[in-house]
Amino acid sequence: MSPSQESVYPEYETETSQTSKLIRKFKETPFVPIGMGGFAAVVAYGLYKLKHRGDMKMSLHLIHMRVAAQGFAVGALTCGVLYSMFRDYVGKPKE
């Protein structure tokens, strides 16, 4: 890029570290990382409980864990969409 050219997205070029990009994304959409963390937590819990499932079949246990993980992720995304709609339409004064 030559010095005479003006940048189209200057805020994206100044933030070069992955940490600053992650923090910016977390501020813009906080429910997506929460959903990803919850999904990972449910999967980790399911793997931990895999040893102590008793007489439950493995396929049934895996189906329950899949449904729980998907439910947490979809629930977090739904909360994020509702929060975004609230912020855009209710939180903003009408012009």
Side-chain angles (χ1 to χ4, degrees):
M1 187 180 241
S2 69
S4 63
Q5 287 182 335
E6 189 175 310
S7 175
V8 178
Y9 297 109
E11 65 272 3
Y12 289 107
E13 290 180 4
T14 58
E15 298 178 8
T16 56
S17 71
Q18 293 294 326
T19 306
S20 62
K21 288 180 183 180
L22 183 65
I23 291 171
R24 182 180 48 85
K25 275 295 191 186
F26 187 74
K27 288 179 182 175
E28 289 175 4
T29 56
F31 288 97
V32 172
I34 292 170
M36 290 169 48
F39 179 85
V42 169
V43 169
Y45 177 75
L47 290 173
Y48 171 75
K49 292 300 270 183
L50 189 63
K51 281 185 163 183
H52 308 290
R53 68 182 187 275
D55 59 348
M56 183 187 296
K57 287 184 178 181
M58 181 180 275
S59 62
L60 188 60
H61 175 74
L62 293 176
I63 288 171
H64 286 175
M65 289 300 107
R66 179 186 64 89
V67 168
Q70 282 180 332
F72 196 93
V74 169
L77 289 174
T78 302
C79 288
V81 167
L82 293 175
Y83 172 74
S84 176
M85 288 174 61
F86 177 78
R87 187 181 58 197
D88 290 345
Y89 296 112
V90 177
K92 219 189 259 187
K94 294 184 179 179
E95 296 174 7

